[in-house]
Amino acid sequence: MVGKEFMLEAIRLSFETMRSGKGGPFGCVIVKDGKIISEGFNQVTSNNDPTAHAEVVAIREACKKLNTFQLTGCEIYTSCEPCPMCLGAIYWARPDKLFYANTKTDAAKIGFDDDFIYKEINLSLSERKLQTEQICKEEAIKAFEEWQTKQDKIEY
């Protein structure tokens, strides 16, 4: 398989999940060494999980399969430009490359408008729609201080 065929598989998954009623029209495959190692499709409504986007599902499966928390050496093919949550997960997973088909503007046109999240991220905490308040910093910072000196930590 080559790049276009991998993307066509992600697109096929987007149709399959939508038509089956399992979730929105989004599919994703992760490729390593020229082979698909994991697939994901949107399962938000079927699993009652707002994080079960195609990319997150595929990343979780790939990491389990490879027994690692990073996808170095992998490529991600997703049927739509990732939302902010998925884009963050993709960056944390550290694949070599990301390919997408539909744009976030295309998604917004059919009711999947993530633009408000992109806008919220750039606002100060006091300006965001989600009320946010910092509490218990003195207690929480102790975990960070201990992490900093922990000798057997696995950095990521």
Side-chain angles (χ1 to χ4, degrees):
M1 290 182 108
V2 294
K4 182 177 178 181
E5 291 171 339
F6 296 132
M7 183 58 76
L8 291 174
E9 179 60 15
I11 293 167
R12 185 194 68 73
L13 287 168
S14 75
F15 276 102
E16 183 179 304
T17 186
M18 173 189 57
R19 289 173 178 163
S20 70
K22 292 180 182 174
F26 303 96
C28 179
V29 298
I30 298 180
V31 174
K32 185 172 177 112
D33 299 326
K35 295 179 183 168
I36 294 175
I37 59 164
S38 73
E39 297 180 344
F41 56 86
N42 185 284
Q43 300 173 38
V44 170
T45 57
S46 58
N47 287 354
N48 293 321
D49 181 352
T51 68
H53 290 198
E55 298 91 336
V56 172
V57 171
I59 288 168
R60 289 173 180 162
E61 182 183 322
C63 288
K64 282 181 188 172
K65 193 172 277 185
L66 296 174
N67 195 31
T68 182
F69 55 86
Q70 293 186 343
L71 297 177
T72 307
C74 295
E75 297 173 339
I76 296 180
Y77 293 80
T78 183
S79 65
C80 186
E81 185 176 0
C83 75
M85 176 187 69
C86 293
L87 187 59
I90 289 166
Y91 270 97
W92 281 116
R94 295 178 173 84
D96 291 355
K97 197 158 185 180
L98 167 67
F99 298 91
Y100 68 93
N102 291 320
T103 67
K104 61 184 178 181
T105 304
D106 297 327
K109 288 178 184 175
I110 63 163
F112 293 95
D113 189 1
D114 302 320
D115 191 51
F116 80 95
I117 299 173
Y118 285 106
K119 289 177 182 171
E120 287 279 305
I121 290 169
N122 291 320
L123 296 175
S124 68
L125 294 177
S126 63
E127 296 177 299
R128 292 183 183 171
K129 288 180 175 64
L130 178 63
Q131 185 178 347
T132 305
E133 181 180 344
Q134 182 180 25
I135 61 173
C136 298
K137 173 150 173 82
E138 290 178 24
E139 295 85 354
I141 198 69
K142 292 175 184 170
F144 281 12
E145 291 166 350
E146 187 173 319
W147 173 259
Q148 200 168 15
T149 60
K150 185 173 171 51
Q151 296 299 311
D152 61 344
K153 65 185 167 195
I154 299 172
E155 305 240 5
Y156 58 96

